[in-house]
Amino acid sequence: MVIPERSTMPDILFHQYDSSPFSEKVRVCLGIKKLAWAAVDQPVIMPKPELVALTGGYRRIPVMQIGADIYCDSQLIVRELERRFPEPTLFPQGDHGLAHANAMWSDRAVFQAAVAIIFGGLGDKVPAAFINDRAALSGRPFNPAAMQAAVPHMEAQLRAHVALLSDQLADGRRFLTGDRAGLVDANGYYNLWFIHSAFPTAASLFESIAHVPEWLERVKAIGHGKRSAVSREDALDIARTTEPMAGTVAPRDAELEGKRVTVAADDYGRDAVDGLLVGSSEHHVSISREDPQAGQVVVHFPRIGFSVQN
């Protein structure tokens, strides 16, 4: 693999692995925006020493890095991509708020159905190391046998969710909000991509639902933008030799500015990250931290799904 020279390296470093469903959601968004980016491939399971050096303990995938600014969680990554690279937009109908809210549907209800169908279907074929890693990530047993018992219910749930996509496409539109693809399409697409990739047998659940197979092919054809690759070591070097952006703190958080806080997800992967609060809004919180390998970085988290404690 040829690593590009620093001067020709894309600004967007995307910490991911190819089978990650949430990474696929962002890759589709990168495709919609026709952006150049570099994949920094991370292991599927722990340990992930280079990633943790950048994030301060957060281990979930994907993570986006631009210089010494580290963006955690796909919802914030998408928001930052739109802020930095507004055209082509991810919101062709101007539906910014509703499209982000729609992500809570796909990231939670549909994703949980997909997980049960995939891993319940795979059963004892799931490697023990993966089971142990995901149990540590979720803080509860990751039990494919128990998921197997839930498969009939989750299959019915998935078909009901996919029927909503079919209803939306029934008037002949090319994408979910009209003739141009956007975030809503990436949200709707990635769980079905996940099922098709990880457990193809289960794709029969949605392959015959009206309008959906053709829409899936249209989203797939968008591609992932212009992809290259950067090593994990080079990503650390970039963070270490770059200054993070200056941020501003929302008035409601003024009393916490410059003070040490702890940020953690509130659903799974609750590894807490601590640092000095240097930025915030209704949609994000940013903390500054020092790491021997990464240097001074600012780690950004979404508000939704994350707690901030001081």
Side-chain angles (χ1 to χ4, degrees), residues 84-149:
R84 288 179 181 254
F85 311 101
E87 293 296 334
T89 181
L90 295 173
F91 310 98
Q93 300 300 317
D95 55 347
H96 296 70
L98 287 176
H100 282 295
N102 167 265
M104 296 299 101
W105 164 76
S106 60
D107 291 358
R108 301 204 175 191
V110 187
F111 176 67
Q112 290 303 320
V115 166
I117 289 166
I118 290 167
F119 293 102
L122 291 171
D124 59 10
K125 296 182 180 66
V126 182
F130 184 89
I131 291 172
N132 293 336
D133 180 82
R134 290 311 191 259
L137 177 66
S138 65
R140 56 184 181 273
F142 188 89
N143 189 339
M147 293 180 196
Q148 195 168 38

Side-chain angles (χ1 to χ4, degrees), residues 79 82 89-103 168 173 176-178 180-185 187:
R79 188 177 289 279
E82 183 72 9
T89 181
L90 295 173
F91 310 98
Q93 300 300 317
D95 55 347
H96 296 70
L98 287 176
H100 282 295
N102 167 265
Q168 185 73 2
R173 65 185 66 196
L176 290 174
T177 60
R180 294 170 58 192
L183 175 59
V184 172
D185 295 279
N187 291 341

